[in-house]
């Protein structure tokens, strides 16, 4: 009887060991699954779109005037398809107010209603389902044609250096200010730069014929703000946004 009990215990032990074994060792993944890579392939990142219309630094004169409001017109924005993208977001910014319009599109164009006689910038963000990665196009600027405009105001200046929010070491004593100006009529005559530590600078650095000022004195542990007014030969002007940088 004792021998029979020992034999039964041995059989039971072999059964338990066999039930706990696995051909995959410690990996519970079924053979051929590969941890999910085959069933869930990675989504390729979308590329940046190429803008087509309105073109950069030009006048847009194809908008359809709103019959209920002559100060508005609808413009068809166009771009080339981006690789791996299945939808797009168009951002159009009024350069006079810095207010933006956001429009989604599943094609390569979008009709957007904007103010006439007004400068705008625009760019396209490419998107793809299954990934949060996006890609932004270049930024174009244009004037939306207005009634009876014979000469357009310059585009608001854009900061080149210092870059927006740039930080400099505490040993910095002077900085160079440089900006980009553009005008459809190509008749920019002068710039005036306002600079200081107030968020809305009022100290003029004088009238400039070129788009830069060298060796502006600065102090450490200070945030500086600057703004550019651009004027053309017809007396039209534009005011840039306020740029800032910091001396640590």
């Amino acid at each position: 009887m004792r021998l029979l009990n020992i034999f039964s215990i041995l059989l039971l032990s072999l059964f338990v060991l066999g039930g706990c074994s696995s051909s995959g060792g410690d990996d519970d993944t079924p053979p051929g699954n590969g941890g999910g890579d085959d069933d869930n392939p990675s989504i390729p990142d979308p590329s940046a779109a190429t803008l087509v219309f309105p073109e950069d630094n030009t006048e847009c004169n194809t908008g359809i005037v709103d019959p209920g409001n002559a100060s508005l017109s609808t413009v068809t924005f166009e771009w080339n398809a981006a690789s791996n993208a299945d939808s797009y977001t168009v951002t159009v910014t009024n350069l006079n107010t810095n207010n933006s319009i956001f429009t989604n599109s599943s094609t390569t164009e979008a009709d957007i209603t904007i103010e006439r006689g007004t400068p705008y910038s625009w760019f396209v963000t490419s998107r793809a389902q299954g990934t949060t990665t996006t890609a932004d196009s270049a930024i174009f600027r244009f004037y939306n044609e207005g009634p009876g405009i014979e000469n357009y105001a310059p585009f608001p200046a854009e900061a080149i250096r210092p870059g927006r929010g740039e930080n400099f070491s505490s040993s910095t004593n002077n900085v160079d200010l440089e900006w980009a100006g553009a005008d459809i009529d190509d008749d920019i005559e002068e710039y005036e730069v306002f600079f200081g530590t107030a968020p809305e600078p009022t100290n003029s650095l004088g009238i400039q014929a070129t788009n830069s000022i060298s060796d502006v004195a600065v102090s450490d542990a200070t945030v500086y703000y600057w703004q550019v007014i651009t004027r053309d030969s017809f007396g039209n002007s534009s005011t840039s946004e306020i740029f800032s940088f910091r001396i640590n």
Side-chain angles (χ1 to χ4, degrees), residues 7-198:
F7 182 71
S8 298
I9 292 172
L10 288 174
L11 285 177
L12 180 61
S13 300
L14 289 173
F15 176 77
V16 171
L17 290 173
C20 292
S21 66
S22 172
S23 61
D26 294 332
D27 187 1
D28 292 331
T29 303
N33 194 313
D37 290 342
D38 293 337
D39 293 340
N40 299 293
S42 61
I43 305 297
D45 294 340
S47 64
T50 302
L51 305 186
V52 175
F53 184 85
E55 297 178 23
D56 195 22
N57 289 335
T58 61
E59 175 193 12
C60 172
N61 55 16
T62 65
I64 299 175
V65 178
D66 188 331
N69 187 346
S71 66
L72 302 175
S73 64
T74 299
V75 174
T76 301
F77 291 77
E78 303 173 30
W79 58 94
N80 290 326
S83 300
N84 307 319
D86 49 41
S87 65
Y88 306 91
T89 299
V90 187
T91 302
V92 182
T93 301
N94 182 322
L95 295 178
N96 287 339
T97 64
N98 285 322
N99 293 329
S100 296
I101 300 169
F102 305 95
T103 302
N104 295 322
S105 176
S106 59
T107 67
T108 56
E109 64 178 40
D111 292 336
I112 302 175
T113 300
I114 55 178
E115 295 182 21
R116 301 175 68 195
T118 303
Y120 285 90
S121 67
W122 73 289
F123 68 93
V124 171
T125 301
S126 304
R127 304 182 184 277
Q129 291 185 357
T131 177
T132 58
T133 300
T134 60
D136 289 341
S137 71
I139 299 176
F140 278 8
R141 300 192 298 173
F142 69 96
Y143 253 100
N144 190 30
E145 183 184 46
I149 296 180
E150 297 182 359
N151 184 275
Y152 284 88
F155 287 107
E158 294 184 291
I160 296 178
R161 55 177 180 156
R164 289 181 176 87
E166 185 172 348
N167 290 319
F168 292 85
S169 68
S170 58
S171 61
T172 303
N173 297 316
N174 302 89
V175 297
D176 296 335
L177 304 180
E178 184 178 359
W179 59 92
D183 190 306
I184 291 175
D185 309 300
D186 197 25
D187 62 350
I188 292 176
E189 191 167 74
E190 63 185 29
Y191 304 95
E192 186 172 7
V193 178
F194 292 86
F195 180 84
T197 57

